[in-house]
Amino acid sequence: MQGGKRPGAGRPKGSKNKKTERIREHFEKFISDNLVQMQEDYDKLDPNQRLQFISLLTKYVLPSMKAVEMTGTVESPVIDMSKWK
């Protein structure tokens, strides 16, 4: 008997987890059923709390961006000031 991954074993690539999908559907329904109450609660928040609320929700709506790291050197051009008068 050989070990290792069998071709075709497991969930197909790109398919969705049924439990996760069901939970997501219930959560979306909960949110849509409570939009009026959520808006009323949001309106009662002070400006700092509103910014925190928006910041927390943003990561679930917009894709997060990766930090970009740059490496290398930047050389300044040599300017001969003796020619300037």
Side-chain angles (χ1 to χ4, degrees):
M1 201 156 75
Q2 283 185 319
K5 190 175 177 181
R6 295 183 327 267
R11 195 170 69 224
K13 191 173 185 175
S15 68
K16 300 194 177 189
N17 182 318
K18 290 179 184 177
K19 282 185 182 179
T20 304
E21 195 62 28
R22 212 169 40 216
I23 290 170
R24 180 174 285 130
E25 288 171 5
H26 284 287
F27 187 71
E28 287 174 356
K29 182 177 181 337
F30 174 79
I31 296 295
S32 65
D33 290 348
N34 291 287
L35 282 175
V36 173
Q37 181 63 48
M38 287 175 58
Q39 182 66 53
E40 290 172 3
D41 294 342
Y42 177 80
D43 292 340
K44 294 175 186 174
L45 298 176
D46 66 58
N48 286 335
Q49 291 173 321
R50 287 181 187 192
L51 286 173
Q52 285 180 323
F53 179 80
I54 291 169
S55 178
L56 289 170
L57 286 182
T58 300
K59 63 184 171 186
Y60 296 103
V61 178
L62 300 175
S64 60
M65 299 175 75
K66 280 186 168 183
V68 177
E69 184 177 318
M70 294 179 65
T71 59
T73 58
V74 177
E75 295 182 23
S76 299
V78 178
I79 300 173
D80 185 4
M81 300 290 284
S82 64
K83 295 179 182 178
W84 293 23
K85 290 190 181 185

